[in-house]
Amino acid sequence: MVGLIAALHLYIAWFEIFAWTTRGPQVFSTFPVDLFEPTKSMAANQGLYNAFLAIGLLWSLFIRNAEWRFKVATCFLLFVAAAGIFGAVTVSQRIMFVQTVPAIIALIFVYLGYRQSSRAA
């Protein structure tokens, strides 16, 4: 689940950094087309933040210590959930289902996996 959330945020980062003016008008069809070019740098900035979220989640997958893997994954999944809530409030409620819900599901899996590995140790 953590890897899937990371992949989603890598896609969002690519979209916002590299495809905002080409794919943006198709994805956000309710926005005026002339809005995309002037907001290109703003979208790229958002994309960079999404890349940071993806990198943090990917990093958590390579941490050998179970406690630290749990802590880092939890931290970045909470960041994703918070970003999704903010996006749902300020942009579109759809963002809640694209970002927050999957992040919360991943948090549950991360917690259950950590709890199970703690019992085994």
Side-chain angles (χ1 to χ4, degrees):
M1 282 299 296
V2 173
L4 289 174
I5 305 295
L8 171 65
H9 282 273
L10 284 174
Y11 170 75
I12 294 170
W14 169 83
F15 173 79
E16 292 174 336
I17 294 169
F18 301 109
W20 183 248
T21 57
T22 55
R23 293 257 313 126
Q26 297 163 357
V27 173
F28 297 103
S29 57
T30 59
F31 292 179
V33 176
D34 61 339
L35 177 78
F36 290 92
E37 189 60 42
T39 59
K40 186 176 179 178
S41 61
M42 180 202 65
N45 187 52
Q46 286 180 193
L48 186 62
Y49 289 107
N50 278 293
F52 292 153
L53 292 172
I55 291 166
L57 291 168
L58 290 172
W59 171 41
S60 75
L61 297 176
F62 292 97
I63 299 172
R64 291 180 185 249
N65 180 281
E67 182 179 359
W68 277 103
R69 182 175 50 246
F70 169 74
K71 288 178 180 182
V72 171
T74 297
C75 177
F76 281 93
L77 287 169
L78 287 171
F79 290 161
V80 169
I85 291 168
F86 186 79
V89 170
T90 60
V91 179
S92 167
Q93 289 183 340
R94 186 173 149 248
I95 295 173
M96 179 76 71
F97 300 101
V98 173
Q99 275 186 281
T100 304
V101 171
I104 290 171
I105 293 168
L107 277 165
I108 292 167
F109 279 110
V110 165
Y111 171 75
L112 292 174
Y114 176 69
R115 193 170 141 205
Q116 186 172 1
S117 71
S118 296
R119 285 185 183 170

